[in-house]
Amino acid sequence: MSVAVRRTVVALSSLVACALVVWTVRVAPWDWLPEDGGDRLTLGTGIGAVVAAAVIFALTSWIPPAAGPAPAAGGQPRRVTQIAEAEDWAVIEQAAGNRDTGGRTPRQAAPADALTQRATGRGRSRIRQTGGDEVEGS
């Protein structure tokens, strides 16, 4: 079952629980409830809101957490912008991730939350921009 369907089920369950509590308080002939219909509605709405919140709290473990990009060190979003302009025989190499050139395992870095790459080359220039981790030979 998709996350959207699960969220919809949780939301509808909480609404049904709230409506059921409000209806029960309005029609129940219990002596301890207020006699006035407006007071009963107020009491039912308050209790219904608490029950709806409890239903949402109970069912949140059923919904998987949103899978988003991991924040960079320090908890700040990592934004990477690479802009390169080359002419003649220029060689430009840029990497937003890690580039392993000696058979070593690249160090782990948080992926970029936003990556922008622009390149302009003229003549016999060469531009190489890497957005993620790269291991030599791949």
Side-chain angles (χ1 to χ4, degrees), residues 59-75:
L59 294 179
T60 52
S61 64
W62 184 50
I63 301 173

Side-chain angles (χ1 to χ4, degrees), residues 77-129:
R78 185 168 170 241
R79 302 184 64 84
V80 176
T81 302
Q82 294 178 334
I83 300 172
E85 294 184 18
E87 293 183 8
D88 299 328
W89 290 87
V91 176
I92 299 174
E93 294 191 15
Q94 297 174 319
N98 300 298
R99 191 174 287 156
D100 181 18
T101 59
R104 301 177 311 264
T105 304
R107 64 177 174 75
Q108 294 298 317
D113 293 333
L115 175 64
T116 304
Q117 293 180 321
R118 287 186 218 122
T120 304
R122 292 182 190 87
R124 299 186 143 231
S125 61
R126 188 177 76 198
I127 300 171
R128 180 175 161 194
Q129 294 176 318

